[in-house]
Amino acid sequence: MALTIDLGVAELAATRFAISPLSETVAGLQQLGDIDRHPLNLRWLRWAADELARQPLDLAHTLPLLMSDRPSWPEFLVPAPLGAGASIEDDLAALQRTTAPQVRASLRRVFGEDPPDAVAAIAAQPATGLRAIAAELRAAHDRLIAPHWSRIRAVLDADVIYRAKQLATGGAEKLFTDLHPDLRWCDGRLMLGGVRWQAERVVNRGPGGLVLIPVVLGSPYVLIKQSTSTQTTVRYPARGVGALWTAGTQAPAGGTVRLLGRARAELLEALRSPATTTDLARAFGVTPSAVSQHLGVLRESGLVARERSGRNVLYMMTALGASLSGKKGMTSIEMRSPVSGAEFGLLP
C-alpha cells in the first residue's frame, strides 16, 4: 500500500528544496506533544522541558489543531515556503494569507462537521484565528527554535547540498530513493510506503512542483500533504540530526589530540555536525579568524570540507576526518519514557 503523487515533466522540473523555520517550530511542538517522537531529538526535548518549566507557552489556538485524536492536522499551519530559505516572518505571512474558505475546508477535512469548540471558533473567524495562531507560533519559535537556529540551519543547508548532488548525478530516481527508505520513484510517480500506509491513496497535488523540506526537529517519517492550498510539501528527516545535539560534547580521542593538537582536535570533533566559522567561534569563545586558521589546516589535510550555501560557508567532517576521530556521523541517544505535552509546559 502507498500514498502516490503523480508528477509530470513540468511538475518534476519545478520541484525544489526549501528550508522553513515555521516547519521546524511546528515539528518541535509536535515532538513535545509526543507525536511521532524521534529519539534523536531527546537532548533538545530535555532542554525545551527546562525552558518551558521556567515559563510555559500559551498555545490556546494552536495546540487544539496540532494535538488531537485525529490522524492529521490542518495543512495551512505549514504553507509551502515561497523561497529556498524563508524567514519566520515570511512563513508566518504565508500562513496568514490563507483564505477563509481554505481555512474552513482544511479544518473540515481534519475535524469533520462537528469540531471541538476551539476549532469551531477559528472556523467562525478565520482571519482572527490565523493572527492568533501566527502570534503563538512566533512566540514558540523565539523561545524554542531561535536559540538553536544557526546550527539547525547548518544541518538543513548541508542536507540540501547533498541532495542537490544526488539529483545532479543520478536524477530524480536517485534523489527520491535516497531521501527516505519509505520513498521510491517509478514511472513518473513518487510513492510513500511503509507500515503507516494501509491503503492506496493519491495525493491531491497542489499547483506546480513539489517542495522538499528537510526537518531536524521532526518525526522519523516522511510527511506529505494529501490536500493543500499551496504547493505540495514533502517533509523528510534531514541527514546528520544524530550528531547535531552531541557534536563537541565529548572530548576528542587522545590519539587525535596528539596528532593535531587539542584546539584542532576539538574543532574536528565539533564538526561531526556542520557549522559555520561564526558558530564555531561562538562555541569555543575565540575569534572567527583563529577558527579560520585552524580550519584551513584541517581542510588542507582532507579532514574537513567546506560548501557554500547562500552567504554562508559550511564546514563539515569528511570521511577521512571521521576515520581519524573514530566517530560516526550519526549518534544515537538513549530512549526515555514518554513525556506528555503538559509536562513540557504547553498550555492548551
Side-chain angles (χ1 to χ4, degrees):
M1 302 300 179
L3 182 68
T4 301
I5 308 176
D6 292 318
L7 289 176
V9 174
E11 290 77 26
L12 185 59
T15 292
R16 59 188 174 90
F17 286 93
I19 289 171
S20 168
L22 180 56
S23 173
E24 292 294 337
T25 303
V26 168
L29 291 176
Q30 291 177 316
Q31 290 288 288
L32 286 166
D34 200 22
I35 298 177
D36 288 340
R37 184 170 294 168
H38 199 316
L40 296 181
N41 294 326
L42 287 180
R43 285 184 182 269
W44 176 82
L45 286 167
R46 293 167 186 169
W47 171 85
D50 291 339
E51 175 66 19
L52 293 175
R54 180 179 63 82
Q55 182 181 354
L57 278 168
D58 184 356
L59 300 171
H61 296 82
T62 306
L63 278 194
L65 303 182
L66 284 179
M67 300 174 197
S68 69
D69 58 355
R70 312 305 165 99
S72 62
W73 43 277
E75 53 83 14
F76 61 77
L77 291 175
V78 181
L82 295 179
S87 66
I88 186 64
E89 292 81 10
D90 295 331
D91 281 345
L92 292 175
L95 183 152
Q96 293 187 80
R97 285 195 295 270
T98 310
T99 67
Q102 290 168 342
V103 170
R104 293 188 178 109
S106 182
L107 294 176
R108 193 177 305 113
R109 281 193 293 269
V110 175
F111 296 99
E113 300 297 335
D114 187 24
D117 290 344
V119 176
I122 296 171
Q125 294 184 301
T128 301
L130 288 177
R131 284 195 296 271
I133 291 167
E136 291 175 1
L137 288 173
R138 180 59 197 250
H141 170 271
D142 291 349
R143 289 276 306 283
L144 303 176
I145 307 301
H148 307 284
W149 179 244
S150 181
R151 294 303 297 269
I152 290 174
R153 177 65 190 262
V155 172
L156 298 173
D157 282 338
D159 180 275
V160 172
I161 290 169
Y162 172 82
R163 306 298 178 188
K165 291 179 178 179
Q166 295 290 88
L167 179 62
T169 58
E173 183 175 5
K174 185 173 183 179
L175 168 66
F176 289 122
T177 299
D178 189 63
L179 207 64
H180 192 274
D182 290 344
L183 282 174
R184 59 191 178 96
W185 171 261
C186 183
D187 296 331
R189 294 178 178 177
L190 180 63
M191 289 175 281
L192 176 62
V195 296
R196 291 163 64 89
W197 291 106
Q198 303 300 320
E200 294 287 347
R201 296 184 183 178
V202 177
V203 170
N204 181 20
R205 183 173 47 78
L210 305 178
V211 181
L212 309 177
I213 304 178
V215 182
V216 165
L217 291 173
S219 82
Y221 305 107
V222 174
L223 302 178
I224 299 176
K225 292 182 179 180
Q226 296 186 50
S227 295
T228 180
S229 56
T230 59
Q231 285 180 275
T232 296
T233 59
V234 178
R235 297 165 71 224
Y236 64 91
R239 299 175 75 249
V241 174
L244 173 60
W245 308 114
T246 59
T249 62
Q250 302 175 16
T256 308
V257 173
R258 289 191 294 272
L259 182 64
L260 300 177
R262 180 159 297 278
R264 290 171 188 164
E266 289 179 345
L267 273 178
L268 184 63
E269 164 66 20
L271 285 173
R272 288 193 294 117
S273 180
T276 65
T277 302
T278 302
D279 292 330
L280 294 167
R282 186 182 300 115
F284 287 97
V286 298
T287 64
S289 61
V291 171
S292 294
Q293 291 177 6
H294 289 308
L295 289 175
V297 174
L298 294 174
R299 182 168 172 260
E300 290 173 0
S301 303
L303 302 177
V304 304
R306 68 179 183 183
E307 295 278 359
R308 179 167 292 279
S309 177
R311 297 180 180 179
N312 295 324
V313 176
L314 297 178
Y315 288 86
M316 57 200 79
M317 181 186 289
T318 64
L320 178 61
S323 176
L324 177 64
S325 66
K327 308 287 185 181
K328 294 183 179 180
M330 298 289 288
T331 302
S332 62
I333 301 173
E334 72 275 13
M335 291 288 292
R336 292 204 315 177
S337 58
V339 184
S340 70
E343 289 176 279
F344 274 119
L346 300 178
L347 302 181

